[in-house]
Amino acid sequence: AAKKDGRGRSSTFTRSMLVVLEQREMLRRSLRTALQEGQFFLEYQPLVKPSSSVAGFEALLRWRHPLVGTIPPNVFIPMAEADGLMSDIGRWLLERACRTAMDWPSHFTLAVNLSPAEFLHEGLTDRVAQTLDLVGMRADRLELEITESVLLERTINNLDTLNTLNVLGVQISLDDFGTYYSSLSYLKNFPFDTIKIDQYFIKDLERNEKGQTIVRSIIALAHGLGMNVTAEGVETAGQAAWLQKEGCDRLQGYFLGAPMAADAIGDFLRKASATPATGLQRI
Ligand code: C2E
Ligand code: MG
Ligand code: MG
Ligand code: MG
């Protein structure tokens, strides 16, 4: 172990830290070729209306590493961002997800997440327009999800990008609302169609009165601004019933349906329409 350097810096570089670093380095290296090797795939999680009908699906990226197995996006997307790979991955997944959505009923929306690097990429709006054109998908079926962290800098350019997407007819959602800076000025200045309330606020909704007040206020705020509200991370019938009662527009979470492979969607929809129990009618 190394000596303390006297400035409060942690000084013991242990073997296990070395192992973690080596693993990260190994992952980073294999990330560079993952796209060519066809190791990425998408899962789709349903967005459900309080009437229990399915409104669409959100595409969620996964990486199937040949040795490690499936790696979640929170682990590899920051690496891909740091190594400048996310723009190419995002281009691939947008086309892939749009092609998949073309097999669904034509009123279903497709939500796609954009990382900061993807959103800030100057070719983004052209790429979106070209992809919709190529695939033959109506622009209003596509919802792009961004988080507030994307909007922290370059305010004027960001507004330009959002306005261009708006003119294209694409919908914009503010993802994970409530977890970042949550400056209300974002809501005042940017043209969002939907606010997605982060699962943090949904988790203990049934027991936490403060949490209920916050969620109720976010719903009122969004509706007052002419925006829709989606609740993320809905895991119980009680949460779903409460959100339905409070006028939340769409629900998403394991209670309504976990992320699934594209080829499982047909079965899911057949079951959802045959047994309303999969949706909210049960409550
Ligand atoms: P997100 O966009 O907020 O996605 C919701 C996350 O919550 C997903 O995790 C989903 O699997 C998980 N989730 C859904 N329902 C429940 C529930 O009832 N309970 C709990 N505890 N979790 C639930 P996932 O797939 O691991 O994605 C994590 C984050 O990674 C996403 O958060 C998003 O920010 C990012 N991400 C995922 N796919 C993509 C992508 O294609 N592109 C980009 N740029 N980011 C992505
Ligand atoms: Mg999302
Ligand atoms: Mg979210
Ligand atoms: Mg979230």
Side-chain angles (χ1 to χ4, degrees), residues 150-216:
V150 166
L151 301 175
L152 288 176
E153 283 163 62
R154 297 199 342 164
T155 308
I156 298 195
N157 292 326
N158 291 339
L159 192 55
D160 266 2
T161 304
L162 289 174
N163 285 332
T164 309
L165 292 169
N166 235 330
V167 169
L168 272 180
V170 169
Q171 317 247 1
I172 314 288
S173 300
L174 185 56
D175 204 351
D176 299 350
F177 184 77
T179 50
Y180 291 89
Y181 297 85
S182 292
S183 162
L184 296 180
S185 64
Y186 293 129
L187 295 185
K188 186 175 171 208
N189 294 326
F190 294 108
F192 300 111
D193 300 283
T194 297
I195 292 176
K196 296 189 78 172
I197 306 176
D198 192 73
Q199 57 189 51
Y200 171 78
F201 294 98
I202 309 301
K203 215 173 276 168
D204 59 350
L205 200 55
E206 287 154 281
R207 296 179 305 281
N208 189 323
E209 273 181 43
K210 278 190 191 168
Q212 292 180 2
T213 303
I214 291 171
V215 171
R216 203 178 277 127

Side-chain angles (χ1 to χ4, degrees), residues 51 90 102 142 144 147 152 167 196 264 268:
S51 62
M102 291 303 284
L142 180 64
L144 297 176
T147 61
L152 288 176
V167 169
K196 296 189 78 172
F268 173 82

Side-chain angles (χ1 to χ4, degrees), residues 53-278:
S53 57
V54 175
F57 289 86
E58 176 178 0
L60 295 162
L61 183 63
R62 277 89 182 83
W63 176 20
R64 196 184 287 112
H65 188 282
L67 301 176
V68 182
T70 300
I71 302 171
N74 290 336
V75 173
F76 70 83
I77 289 180
M79 290 182 185
E81 287 260 304
D83 287 358
L85 302 169
M86 205 47 217
S87 193
D88 281 348
I89 297 171
R91 178 176 323 197
W92 168 83
L93 83 85
L94 179 65
E95 185 180 332
R96 182 72 208 226
C98 288
R99 290 197 187 282
T100 299
M102 291 303 284
D103 291 339
W104 306 340
S106 63
H107 62 280
F108 278 18
T109 57
L110 165 71
V112 172
N113 295 282
L114 293 180
S115 64
E118 295 177 82
F119 182 78
L120 298 174
H121 192 270
E122 42 175 61
L124 172 75
T125 53
D126 285 345
R127 176 203 301 177
V128 170
Q130 282 161 13
T131 305
L132 290 169
D133 208 45
L134 178 74
V135 172
M137 185 165 135
R138 261 189 4 249
D140 65 354
R141 291 188 61 189
L142 180 64
E143 270 177 53
L144 297 176
E145 300 193 358
I146 60 170
T147 61
E148 287 164 44
S149 60
V150 166
L151 301 175
L152 288 176
E153 283 163 62
R154 297 199 342 164
T155 308
I156 298 195
N157 292 326
N158 291 339
L159 192 55
D160 266 2
T161 304
L162 289 174
N163 285 332
T164 309
L165 292 169
N166 235 330
V167 169
L168 272 180
V170 169
Q171 317 247 1
I172 314 288
S173 300
L174 185 56
D175 204 351
D176 299 350
F177 184 77
T179 50
Y180 291 89
Y181 297 85
S182 292
S183 162
L184 296 180
S185 64
Y186 293 129
L187 295 185
K188 186 175 171 208
N189 294 326
F190 294 108
F192 300 111
D193 300 283
T194 297
I195 292 176
K196 296 189 78 172
I197 306 176
D198 192 73
Q199 57 189 51
Y200 171 78
F201 294 98
I202 309 301
K203 215 173 276 168
D204 59 350
L205 200 55
E206 287 154 281
R207 296 179 305 281
N208 189 323
E209 273 181 43
K210 278 190 191 168
Q212 292 180 2
T213 303
I214 291 171
V215 171
R216 203 178 277 127
S217 307
I218 297 174
I219 294 173
L221 178 64
H223 286 168
L225 293 167
M227 300 172 189
N228 290 310
V229 191
T230 302
E232 304 189 271
V234 180
E235 294 185 354
T236 69
Q239 291 162 354
W242 190 89
L243 290 159
Q244 181 179 31
K245 174 172 66 91
E246 296 297 332
C248 191
D249 303 292
R250 289 187 311 189
L251 312 184
Q252 186 177 20
Y254 299 154
F255 178 69
L256 294 314
M260 64 191 87
D263 60 13
I265 290 176
D267 256 3
F268 173 82
L269 293 176
R270 270 188 295 281
K271 277 186 198 131
S273 61
T275 41
T278 343

